[in-house]
Amino acid sequence: MTLLREGASNGILNVTISPAFAAKWLLPRIEDYQQRWPDIDVRLETSLKLLDFTALGMDVGIRYGLGHWEGLQAERLMSEEVFPVCAPSLIAINPAINCLTGVTQQTLIHDLSMEQHKDFVTWDRWLRRFNVQAIARKPGLRINSSAAVLQAAVEGHGIALARSIMVDDDLKSGRLVRLCPEVSLASPLSYYLVYRPGCDSLPKIAYFREWIVEQASRFNAAHPPACQAD
């Protein structure tokens, strides 16, 4: 559990969130929240598990899915696209990979973090959408962390199937480049703010909700959707 801003006097906000979303999206923005409400401690419980809010004292969470979790109110924050990315060095030595058939000739980095979710976009599903032969038996690199998948791509270990929200900073910094820019697939899954029904009026939850909705709206405005889900 990560503790931010120790010593606040007006309460603690317990947030459950995936490690990858915390690292890639929330933490780069959290300073703005702390500046607005410096007397609230934010504790991040980074876990891929669906935690019991009541038993563990969670106030809010960010979850990735279809928006239905028993006993929780869910507000959609952001949707995303899915597309291949690689390190600039990889495409520099092999420009032919910047097309669908070229991609399949390389080492593919598979994200196993949500492999049990039937709507999670895998390499097989993405390639089938564009009528490319499935690669289920093709050797590759398989990792159960979305952040680690992107880091493996940054280090040149292969081509990752990136989620646009997770990879945004890596693209802006030039650590990764997008391949096959003419094709993309909208993920059926989205990011949701979740909390127990009736708790959104509590000040510390209301403040966080106001802030994260604003941040998500800014992100959405800067990244309009470019495709439709299959």
Side-chain angles (χ1 to χ4, degrees):
M1 180 176 289
T2 302
L3 174 60
L4 302 176
R5 300 195 69 88
E6 295 183 1
S9 59
N10 289 349
I12 296 170
L13 181 74
N14 294 294
V15 183
T16 173
I17 189 172
S18 76
F21 188 80
K24 290 293 188 178
W25 196 88
L26 185 67
L27 287 176
R29 293 168 171 81
I30 199 67
E31 184 177 356
D32 180 76
Y33 176 86
Q34 294 174 283
Q35 289 176 348
R36 295 193 198 188
W37 291 284
D39 294 328
I40 297 177
D41 283 351
V42 178
R43 296 190 183 186
L44 302 183
E45 181 69 40
T46 57
S47 174
L48 290 174
K49 297 179 180 179
L50 301 183
L51 302 183
D52 185 321
F53 272 49
T54 301
L56 297 177
M58 293 294 109
D59 296 306
V60 297
I62 309 296
R63 287 187 176 175
Y64 187 61
L66 296 174
H68 307 293
W69 293 278
E70 185 176 358
L72 294 175
Q73 182 75 30
E75 295 185 44
R76 187 164 69 175
L77 296 171
M78 296 175 289
S79 300
E80 62 186 355
E81 297 174 71
V82 183
F83 46 77
V85 298
C86 73
S89 58
L90 200 60
I91 195 172
I93 62 176
N94 189 1
I97 68 176
N98 198 14
C99 66
L100 287 172
T101 54
V103 163
T104 60
Q105 303 305 310
Q106 303 298 310
T107 298
L108 300 183
I109 306 172
H110 299 261
D111 187 342
L112 305 183
S113 62
M114 292 187 67
E115 62 176 338
Q116 301 304 319
H117 198 301
K118 66 181 182 63
D119 292 302
F120 186 67
V121 180
T122 63
W123 267 115
D124 276 330
R125 179 176 183 176
W126 195 90
L127 290 169
R128 283 199 303 269
R129 171 64 177 78
F130 300 106
N131 300 313
V132 178
Q133 184 178 359
I135 42 74
R137 291 182 296 276
K138 180 180 175 62
L141 184 59
R142 302 173 188 272
I143 306 175
N144 67 348
S145 163
S146 297
V149 164
L150 295 178
Q151 184 59 35
V154 167
E155 294 175 2
H157 297 307
I159 299 176
L161 192 58
R163 291 146 56 185
S164 56
I165 291 173
M166 292 289 190
V167 79
D168 188 57
D169 283 346
D170 290 312
L171 293 176
K172 287 178 178 177
S173 70
R175 291 188 295 269
L176 291 171
V177 294
R178 177 174 178 171
L179 301 176
C180 311
E182 73 282 2
V183 294
S184 185
L185 179 63
S187 173
L189 309 180
S190 299
Y191 294 91
Y192 290 83
L193 175 68
V194 296
Y195 47 83
R196 286 171 289 176
C199 290
D200 54 319
S201 61
L202 296 175
K204 64 180 180 179
I205 295 178
Y207 297 156
F208 185 80
R209 176 181 175 275
E210 174 188 334
W211 175 79
I212 201 164
V213 166
E214 177 187 306
Q215 294 293 319
S217 295
R218 289 180 181 176
F219 187 90
N220 291 334
H223 303 80
C227 59
Q228 299 296 321
D230 60 343

